[in-house]
Amino acid sequence: MTTTEMRGAAQAVLETLVGPGTRLRDDQWDAIEALVIDHRRCLVVQRTGWGKSAVYFVATALLRQQHTGPTVIVSPLLALMRNQIAAAERAGIHAVSVNSANLEEWRGVYAGINSGEVDVLLVSPERLNNPEFRDTVLPRLAKSCGLLVVDEAHCISDWGHDFRPDYRRLRTFLADLAPETPVLATTATANSRVVADVAEVLGLGRTSSELFIQRGSLDRESLHLAVLDLADHSHCLAWLAEHLCDWDGSGIIYTLTVAAAHDVAEFLQSVGYTVLAYSGHTDNDDRLAAEEALLDNRVKALVATSALGMGFDKPDLEFVIHLGAPQSPVAYYQQVGRAGRATKRADVILIPGRDDEAVWSYFTSIGIPSETLVREVLTALAAADASVSTAALETTVDLNRTRLENLLKILDVDGAVRRVRGGWVATGERWIYDANRYVRVAAARASEAQAMRDYIATSACRMEYLRSQLDDHGGGPCGRCDNCLAQGVDRSVTESSVELARARLARAGVAINPKKMWPSNMLSLGIDVRGRIATAEMADPGRAVARLTGLGLGSQIRALLDPGVPDAPADRALVDACVRVLSEWRTQWPQRPSAVVSIGSHTRPVLVDSLAKEIATIGKLAYPGAVIHDAPSSPSRSNSAHRLARVWGGYSMSVEIEAGIGDLPGAAVLVIDDLVDTGWTMTVVARMLLLAGAGRVYPLVLASVR
């Protein structure tokens, strides 16, 4: 088949994929030609909506006509897989996926691959190191694969805004492919540094003749960028309440935290908007239902964290609003790219928050662990006679589950550990802690944060600024953003809306569920507890005044608990918020409390004790004092096992508390603290009080970290 005939065949496939009359563009054909005719390794950096999926589906159809093996697409999100399977079916391409949501289908999928019935296999990067998939399925795929596609390839690079170590396992898979197998890596958000890193990790640049890099303009003429500076969270919610109706269609409202997403969604629902909250904590079925509701325009907006990002495709989104700025312009561009794919105009509005940088600081702090912690993991695995589960490692290394799993993935990619059935083993390979690289990555993150501040403050073209951050230079000012037009967003709000929002944000009360299971392997830390916590030793469900990462009260309490703020007695507003929580909560108490006890604090003793005394006075309850904090303060971000080990035996009862409980046998006790994070401090103190004779323990804290 000649090149001309091949392009004609590609055009025919595209029309079945997208619709009659759709034209294959020259830049799309260039990428297809490099894959199908020249069998090259390609890196395509094009804006969202450019048609990257069309390139690899058309290439798949042409390659399958040549009797090659199936295309393997590594994709980060289930939403992307669902959308792409539906798109492929329209073109007669049989696509299947293997992911955590379809376990019951795996055996049939593998059979279809072996029989040649499957044209496209979509897998998550995490699946690449599932022991059965890695050892049984991947070797066969490497031999038969006709095209490898790495979607959202910026996730490969730790210079990128969304680094995922599982992606780096592709290096091994690539090494096992037949030399002539074409490879396509695609992304819409990669600057030159990320592009170079992706090419290096994937081995795309073995020789210049083998590597095809295509970079297009990242501008989209429908996008109208603006920054809107409002006074506080109340004004932000009021503005949304009064201006969401300015758009006929639907859109996305992004927040920086899960708590904020729920706060905003609940407020907008209360004023009559049909919106849904969406985050990484949302159940998979609920996430799918929310996506479908937005696609079908049955909701005005999804109020979402960054969990709604890569892979979600709704061409007619009319607006993307950010309540709070992402930490980098690259991450911001990735999210705004959801809008305006098939509309003449889409409004993209950033409303920066006063507490954005505190959120940035938190996410930065949970990055690469110290070399000491890394060595502890390697030593623990090397000393074990068999595989060690992640839960067992938690008793050896003081990292929470998410950070520990991320570290293990990095060590796995580097060859120092290996995932097997039942856990992890050390390989014995020498491992070097690349401190210099981590320092450079941290510096890059700091530079990106400053670039985000500069985006907010700039008086120049906003689109041109974003494009420059992705090394897409040229094109000049967009002529559409608020700066180019010298026309800001209408910031007007009525005082009644502000007051309504303020009242909503002042609402207090977040449920705290008690711990029900002891962490695994606590005996190795010298504590003989295991299994379920006895009911007689367990606190009742408790309350927090607010979530620490929430809006309104959460924001106020976060500022109050900042390490730089001196310890001081609770003010009237804080006491009143606690009283409001208690007033609503008391209808659910099986027994009214007879006493208030505070938990001794090394950092906020005045605040916690004063709050407990005020509540005792208002409720006419006994206040026998504070539980004594005998041990030094410990890091709040310890994992469950180490946190329990630190607080176990770290608290004791004063003579006054022992006497008070003795005088009120079986009484309910209200226990006051400033924060609850892992929950183990409250668990240990509640157990101590219950064993001393208290009938019930009701935890009340200012803020819940989670």
Side-chain angles (χ1 to χ4, degrees), residues 459-660:
S459 58
C461 174
R462 298 196 191 276
M463 178 58 77
E464 188 175 28
Y465 183 92
L466 287 181
R467 291 173 61 186
S468 71
Q469 289 297 307
L470 282 95
D471 292 317
D472 175 24
H473 302 287
C478 69
R480 305 180 304 273
C481 70
D482 56 350
N483 287 339
C484 286
L485 296 174
Q487 181 179 350
V489 178
D490 178 7
R491 56 187 297 114
S492 63
V493 291
T494 62
E495 188 56 33
S496 60
S497 290
V498 174
E499 285 302 318
L500 184 64
R502 187 172 290 127
R504 186 77 186 189
L505 290 174
R507 290 179 57 179
V510 177
I512 302 173
N513 293 319
K515 308 294 287 188
K516 295 182 179 180
M517 298 288 294
W518 297 111
S520 303
N521 303 301
M522 286 306 300
L523 193 58
S524 66
L525 292 175
I527 300 173
D528 190 12
V529 293
R530 69 198 71 189
R532 295 189 65 83
I533 299 174
T535 303
E537 301 176 7
M538 186 190 305
D540 277 60
R543 291 292 186 276
V545 174
R547 293 185 181 91
L548 195 65
T549 56
L551 305 178
L553 284 171
S555 179
Q556 296 170 32
I557 294 172
R558 185 165 62 249
L560 177 67
L561 299 181
D562 185 276
V565 176
D567 187 22
D571 62 20
R572 178 49 51 189
L574 195 60
V575 173
D576 289 346
C578 290
V579 170
R580 291 198 300 273
V581 172
L582 292 167
S583 296
E584 294 184 7
W585 184 19
R586 65 183 179 181
T587 60
Q588 300 175 37
W589 290 336
Q591 178 182 352
R592 189 181 188 276
S594 302
V596 178
V597 170
S598 55
I599 295 181
S601 169
H602 291 316
T603 57
R604 300 285 169 185
V606 175
L607 173 66
V608 176
D609 290 351
S610 68
L611 184 62
K613 291 174 182 176
E614 286 281 353
I615 291 174
T617 299
I618 293 169
K620 298 181 180 180
L621 308 174
Y623 177 65
V627 172
I628 300 168
H629 191 180
D630 299 307
S633 294
S634 60
S636 62
R637 290 178 194 154
S638 300
N639 64 39
S640 282
H642 279 81
R643 181 66 176 170
L644 176 58
R646 285 193 173 96
V647 301
W648 190 269
Y651 293 88
S652 60
M653 290 189 297
S654 66
V655 173
E656 291 79 8
I657 291 178
E658 289 182 345

Side-chain angles (χ1 to χ4, degrees), residues 47-105:
R47 67 179 183 271
T48 50
W50 172 86
K52 294 183 287 291
S53 60
V55 167
Y56 51 73
F57 280 136
V58 170
T60 293
L62 298 180
L63 288 167
R64 291 291 279 170
Q65 290 173 13
Q66 299 173 19
H67 307 293
T68 65
T71 290
V72 177
I73 301 176
V74 181
S75 170
L77 295 177
L78 297 181
L80 184 62
M81 294 185 185
R82 293 190 292 266
N83 290 344
Q84 294 196 336
I85 287 173
E89 293 296 335
R90 292 196 296 269
I93 298 171
H94 181 39
V96 296
S97 68
V98 173
N99 58 68
S100 58
N102 68 344
L103 300 177
E104 70 284 354
E105 300 174 13

Side-chain angles (χ1 to χ4, degrees), residues 309-320:
M310 293 179 298
F312 182 76
D313 183 13
K314 178 176 169 58
D316 59 345
L317 278 178
E318 290 192 5
F319 61 88
V320 169

